[in-house]
Amino acid sequence: MNRPTKRSFYKHMESKYGDEFKSQEIKNQFYDKLLDTIQEASKDDQNLLALIELTMMGPTDKLIYRNTMSCIGIEYTPMQVNILISTIEYALEYVDS
């Protein structure tokens, strides 16, 4: 598995989200999510396809996703869902085929 650097990930996300991606807490949270996503996507094709589907969510699907996650105790703001999707997209570039 290739591993993206924190610097390259942070630079990419800051250019996309600006001030929304400035806090170190957010950076660390989503970098950890990035590494987990790469690992999960590399396990098998079913995981990879599920992650790809997440990147194709429209506004209604994102709202359903937020609600589903909150039901299991994980609260995301709409912006955090967008950052998560961008993190998944970034991670997919590092998944070994």
Side-chain angles (χ1 to χ4, degrees):
M1 166 182 79
N2 289 332
R3 185 180 170 130
T5 64
K6 283 184 177 182
R7 174 179 273 181
S8 65
F9 176 65
Y10 293 170
K11 184 177 178 179
H12 171 78
M13 297 300 278
E14 285 174 358
S15 72
K16 193 165 187 166
Y17 292 103
D19 289 341
E20 296 291 336
F21 198 79
K22 289 290 185 192
S23 87
Q24 197 59 46
E25 180 182 350
I26 292 289
K27 289 178 178 182
N28 290 339
Q29 175 188 355
F30 284 99
Y31 185 74
D32 290 343
K33 183 66 74 179
L34 173 70
L35 298 179
D36 292 344
T37 301
I38 294 168
Q39 186 175 12
E40 285 300 311
S42 298
K43 283 184 181 178
D44 62 46
D45 289 343
Q46 190 172 14
N47 288 354
L48 179 60
L49 291 174
L51 289 165
I52 291 170
E53 283 182 17
L54 285 176
T55 66
M56 297 186 295
M57 290 189 295
T60 302
D61 293 327
K62 289 178 184 179
L63 183 59
I64 293 168
Y65 179 77
R66 282 185 61 219
N67 187 43
T68 302
M69 296 305 289
S70 69
C71 288
I72 61 171
I74 301 171
E75 297 285 337
Y76 285 124
T77 66
M79 181 55 69
Q80 286 174 321
V81 171
N82 291 336
I83 292 172
L84 175 63
I85 291 169
S86 293
T87 300
I88 293 168
E89 291 170 343
Y90 193 84
L92 292 175
E93 296 177 24
Y94 289 88
V95 174
D96 295 329
S97 301

